[in-house]
Every structure is written in structure tokens, then in C-alpha cells.
């Protein structure tokens, strides 16, 4: 699930800055939009039932402790992001007045970039599972490469949008 989260965050990192442009309707983009929307919606439910690693290294499966920890950490941000995603769907299916509001919610997609904060945790989990001395440095190089590509992509989109 962490790898899926990482892929979805990377996809959002590429596509959200592209929203500054009028991109043509495309079956693949529509599919990915719905895939990411549904993935992050299900992620809230999976986060409520996934065991958490405690400070002593043990894994806690008690649902009350899991819910309490999730509520203190990511729940608020996840709800804001998912509700902004679904509000776009609701308002785009309305009349003309709702359609203009739906365009405004496209700007709110920038809120999705808050998931980048979560990417640090995801990368830490993925890196922790790698038990190879050769693969470890390769992952570190890939992290730096992703950061450089992201900065370049954001700069390029901003440059051409202005």
C-alpha cells in the first residue's frame, strides 16, 4: 500500500502543476483522476485499520489506539484533501453556477500537494524495508533525483504559466 501511495503522490506531483494549462480531455487522464480520488478515499479507511509501530518497536493492532494516533496525525489533512477532490465532482455535475465553482475547486487541487509531506513518511517506510547494501545507496540517489526533477518540473510549469 505504501508503494501505491508513493506512486500516487508522484503522479500528483507531475499532474497538479499541469492544471495551470487547459489540457485536452483524455481517457487516461480521466481514469487516473478517478483512480487517485478513489485511492486516497480508500486510504483513509485503510489507515484506520492498519497497525502502527510504537516507539518500542512493537506493532499495535488495537483499533482504538490506531484511530487515536491517526486522528492526531494525518486524519485532518487527509479529510481536507479528499473532501476537496470530491467537492469538484459534486459541483461539476451541477448547473452553470455550479460549473464555475467547480473550476474554482480545480485551483484547490493544489491542496493535494500537501500529500508531499506524507511522502517523507512513505519513503522512510519503503527505505526501512530495503535490506540490501547495494540497493540502499541507489534509493538515496533516486530520492535526490526525484527532488531535482520535481523542482525542475514546478519551475518549468510556473515559467510557462506566467
Amino acid at each position: 500500500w505504501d508503494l501505491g501511495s508513493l506512486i500516487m503522490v508522484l503522479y500528483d506531483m507531475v499532474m497538479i502543476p499541469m492544471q495551470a494549462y487547459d489540457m485536452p480531455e483524455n481517457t487516461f487522464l480521466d481514469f487516473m483522476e478517478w483512480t487517485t480520488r478513489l485511492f486516497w478515499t480508500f486510504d483513509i479507511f485503510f489507515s484506520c485499520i492498519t497497525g502502527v509501530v510504537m516507539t518500542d518497536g512493537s506493532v499495535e493492532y488495537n483499533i482504538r489506539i490506531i484511530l487515536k494516533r491517526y486522528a492526531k496525525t494525518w486524519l485532518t489533512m487527509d479529510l481536507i484533501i479528499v473532501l476537496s477532490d470530491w467537492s469538484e465532482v459534486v459541483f461539476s455535475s451541477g448547473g452553470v453556477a455550479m460549473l464555475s465553482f467547480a473550476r474554482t475547486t480545480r485551483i484547490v487541487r493544489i491542496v493535494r500537494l500537501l500529500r508531499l509531506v506524507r511522502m517523507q513518511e512513505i519513503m522512510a517506510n519503503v527505505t526501512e524495508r530495503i535490506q540490501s547494501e547495494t540497493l540502499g545507496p541507489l534509493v538515496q540517489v533516486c530520492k535526490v533525483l526525484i527532488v531535482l526533477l520535481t523542482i525542475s518540473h514546478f519551475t518549468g510549469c510556473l515559467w510557462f504559466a506566467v
Side-chain angles (χ1 to χ4, degrees):
W1 193 256
D2 284 341
L3 192 57
S5 297
L6 182 62
I7 291 169
M8 293 299 170
V9 167
L10 290 173
Y11 176 79
D12 281 345
M13 278 181 7
V14 171
M15 293 309 296
I16 289 173
M18 301 292 284
Q19 296 298 317
Y21 309 104
D22 288 326
M23 295 177 58
E25 290 296 320
N26 182 321
T27 305
F28 174 75
L29 294 178
D30 289 340
F31 172 77
M32 286 305 295
E33 187 174 321
W34 277 99
T35 301
T36 57
R37 184 176 291 126
L38 291 171
F39 180 88
W40 292 116
T41 302
F42 289 131
D43 183 61
I44 291 175
F45 297 111
F46 286 132
S47 294
C48 290
I49 60 171
T50 302
V52 294
V53 179
M54 304 306 284
T55 54
D56 63 356
S58 64
V59 179
E60 182 63 55
Y61 295 106
N62 184 340
I63 195 76
R64 294 180 77 180
I65 293 173
I66 294 169
L67 290 173
K68 185 185 282 188
R69 185 167 181 185
Y70 183 52
K72 288 180 180 178
T73 56
W74 293 105
L75 180 63
T76 304
M77 187 171 73
D78 285 348
L79 285 175
I80 289 169
I81 293 169
V82 168
L83 289 175
S84 72
D85 284 349
W86 284 106
S87 67
E88 179 185 359
V89 173
V90 170
F91 293 123
S92 65
S93 64
V96 175
M98 292 288 207
L99 194 58
S100 65
F101 189 72
R103 288 188 192 126
T104 305
T105 60
R106 292 186 92 185
I107 296 169
V108 176
R109 282 186 182 179
I110 294 172
V111 172
R112 283 188 191 173
L113 292 177
L114 290 174
R115 289 188 186 118
L116 292 174
V117 174
R118 195 169 191 182
M119 192 167 135
Q120 291 176 339
E121 182 180 315
I122 293 167
M123 284 302 293
N125 289 341
V126 171
T127 305
E128 183 179 298
R129 293 181 184 149
I130 296 173
Q131 300 295 323
S132 170
E133 290 183 22
T134 308
L135 211 52
L138 182 63
V139 169
Q140 295 299 327
V141 169
C142 287
K143 285 182 189 178
V144 172
L145 184 63
I146 288 171
V147 169
L148 290 174
L149 288 173
T150 302
I151 291 170
S152 299
H153 178 65
F154 276 67
T155 304
C157 287
L158 183 64
W159 180 266
F160 286 104
V162 174

